[in-house]
Structure formats: structure tokens, C-alpha cells
Amino acid sequence: MTREVTGTHEKVSFEENQSILLYLNQESESYDTHWHAAGELVMPIENSYTVHVADRIYELGEGDVFFIPPGELHKLISRPTGRRLIFMFDISLISTMKDFSAMTPILSQPILISREHYGEIHDFSVDLMNRIISEYQNPSAPLRQSMIYSYLLQFFVSVGRLHIRSEMLFPDVRSTKQMEYFDKMNTVVSYINNNYTEDITLEKMASMAGFSKFHFTRLFKQFTDTSFYSYLNQRRVKAAESLLLIPNVSITDVALQSGFSSISTFNRVFRAAKDCTPSEYKAYYQHQGKRIQM
């Protein structure tokens, strides 16, 4: 597979009129730190595989399924021999579904589906991956892409339901209160996703959920695996990515329309997330004439 990488950004070359790309990787070379707008699923078939995402290292064994969120900086390290499945897809086709917003916190972080930690859905996940392979390798099949997305949706739903009904979200909360806390935190996350341009504060969101600031901070971290302000900044950076691709919108306007109160804060947060300045990002994509979907 030919890769087109500029800086740390990889442009995923989907098939014509498609939004999926699957290949069986057998190369011994590793892939340096990069990011792309596509979601990615990796499954080692022979030998292990190492994935670095941000400051965490994940060791994938044979048959593990690993999800890398869109826009996440990551590095892939292979063994001298081995095979692994790499599947990339446009997640926006399913993320716009109404009740899919509950999955936003879960899918904003990498997920390693191993037998040890996800035994309840591990075999089902591997079976879905094999179904995706079989469908992908039959390009003449009618509604091929739709069928593959139906398998993807089943994968994400199984992960989401496991998180929601288990006590892994809020380990200190009684089982009878789990869904109540889930609903409250999901309301907060949905509000952030839809109102990130507003002056959203920790105090305001804690009040909305009906918790003290201290309690809310802990629950939000358990729910999203990141801090409140980190999540808010991630959402604003996602919005800025699309706005930066509009030729006549200035960097200052992008910052304000994304919810940042100052250009200096915008530059700092964006650079930390994308390893480039907003100006560099805008210049590159205007030159390429390409768009990234949120």
C-alpha cells in the first residue's frame, strides 16, 4: 500500500466512491508517528504488534482488535515477521446517528479488545473483523460497503453496551445508580458536542449534572478517560480542522468560531494536538485542495 504522508498527517486514499480501506500488512517496517481523519482497526493475525498512542504503549497479541480514534497521533511498530489486518474507515457515516452520541466518550480513546480484558465480546469482535475481510474481498457483492458498515456498527454497539452495563465506568457507584450517572454524564457530553463555541465552564457542567465540582471532575474522567477541559479542547480542535479548510476564513475567525477565547490559546492547543500550527495546517490543505470530514 502506498502511503501519502506530509509531516505527521497521512492522507488515506479510499477506493473511488468508497469510504473504507482494508489491507493485509506483512511489512517489517514500522510507521512513525502520524495521524489521519479515518478511524482505524488493527488486528494481528500472526505475531504481535506494538502501537503507541499519545503517551501510552499497547501490546497487541494475535487475535486482539485495536481501535484508534480519528485524529489521534499514533505509531505502529512491527516485528521482523508477522501479518496484521489494518482497516480504515470514515466514522462520520455512523457517528451522526442520534443515539450514537453516547459512544463519543468511549470512542475518543483507543480501545484494545483482548480476551483478557474484553472476554465477553472478544470472539464476537474477531468474527466481525473476519466478516469485514470476507465482504471487502468480494468487490462485486451488492451493497458491499453498507454490509461492512453494518458490521462496524455491531462492533461499536457491542463495545458501548459492555461499557454502559458494566461497572467499569463508575467503579465507586452502586450498580443501581450506574445508568442514572451514565445518563447525566451523557447529557453533559452531548451538550459540549453541540455547544462547544459557548463559554463552557467546569462549574456550569457540574451544576447541570447535579454534582459538586470535585465529584463531577472525578466522574467525568471516569466517563471519558480524560479531563473535562481536555475533552472540551479536543472537540474545539475537531471543529477548527474543518474551518481551517475554508479559504476565506481567517485564523482569528477560526479560533473564535471554534470556541477559543484567544488566538494564543488556540495556537497552543492546536499545536499540541496536531503537531503543527493552525497556519501550517491551513496552508498545507489549501495547497492540496483537500477536505477532512469531522
Side-chain angles (χ1 to χ4, degrees), residues 86-98:
I86 297 179
F87 177 56
M88 290 185 277
F89 53 93
D90 180 358
I91 198 172
S92 68
L93 295 183
I94 54 179
S95 63
T96 54
M97 297 176 66
K98 216 165 208 182

Side-chain angles (χ1 to χ4, degrees), residues 154-197:
Q154 290 182 62
F155 171 79
F156 290 130
V157 168
S158 67
V159 172
R161 284 184 169 177
L162 180 60
H163 274 261
I164 292 167
R165 72 170 179 262
S166 72
E167 294 187 9
M168 67 175 68
L169 279 179
F170 309 113
D172 302 325
V173 177
R174 296 195 310 272
S175 57
T176 55
K177 288 283 189 178
Q178 287 285 323
M179 282 307 301
E180 177 186 336
Y181 277 42
F182 173 85
D183 288 340
K184 287 184 176 181
M185 300 311 292
N186 187 51
T187 297
V188 168
V189 168
S190 296
Y191 184 88
I192 294 172
N193 291 342
N194 295 323
N195 301 279
Y196 56 86
T197 59

Side-chain angles (χ1 to χ4, degrees), residues 166-289:
S166 72
E167 294 187 9
M168 67 175 68
L169 279 179
F170 309 113
D172 302 325
V173 177
R174 296 195 310 272
S175 57
T176 55
K177 288 283 189 178
Q178 287 285 323
M179 282 307 301
E180 177 186 336
Y181 277 42
F182 173 85
D183 288 340
K184 287 184 176 181
M185 300 311 292
N186 187 51
T187 297
V188 168
V189 168
S190 296
Y191 184 88
I192 294 172
N193 291 342
N194 295 323
N195 301 279
Y196 56 86
T197 59
E198 297 180 4
D199 181 20
I200 299 177
T201 64
L202 175 63
E203 291 78 9
K204 179 179 180 179
M205 293 297 97
S207 176
M208 174 184 288
F211 298 118
S212 69
K213 187 168 67 172
F214 173 80
H215 196 194
F216 174 81
T217 298
R218 182 165 56 84
L219 292 174
F220 191 91
K221 179 69 186 306
Q222 291 174 341
F223 189 66
T224 64
D225 200 28
T226 191
S227 71
F228 169 76
Y229 284 110
S230 291
Y231 184 87
L232 178 59
N233 282 335
Q234 289 170 15
R235 183 63 187 89
R236 287 171 171 171
V237 167
K238 283 288 185 185
E241 289 174 24
S242 289
L243 291 171
L244 285 167
L245 303 178
I246 303 175
N248 297 323
V249 179
S250 69
I251 300 296
T252 300
D253 286 340
V254 169
L256 295 176
Q257 292 178 37
S258 302
F260 291 97
S261 58
S262 70
I263 191 69
S264 60
T265 300
F266 176 46
N267 283 329
R268 175 175 52 79
V269 171
F270 193 93
R271 187 181 188 90
K274 293 301 176 187
D275 200 30
C276 66
T277 67
S279 297
E280 291 169 342
Y281 184 97
K282 185 177 183 69
Y284 171 69
Y285 283 106
Q286 281 190 349
H287 176 70
Q288 295 294 318

Side-chain angles (χ1 to χ4, degrees), residues 144-159:
R144 166 175 169 256
Q145 181 171 243
S146 297
M147 181 61 76
I148 288 174
Y149 268 95
S150 75
Y151 295 142
L152 269 177
L153 190 56
Q154 290 182 62
F155 171 79
F156 290 130
V157 168
S158 67
V159 172

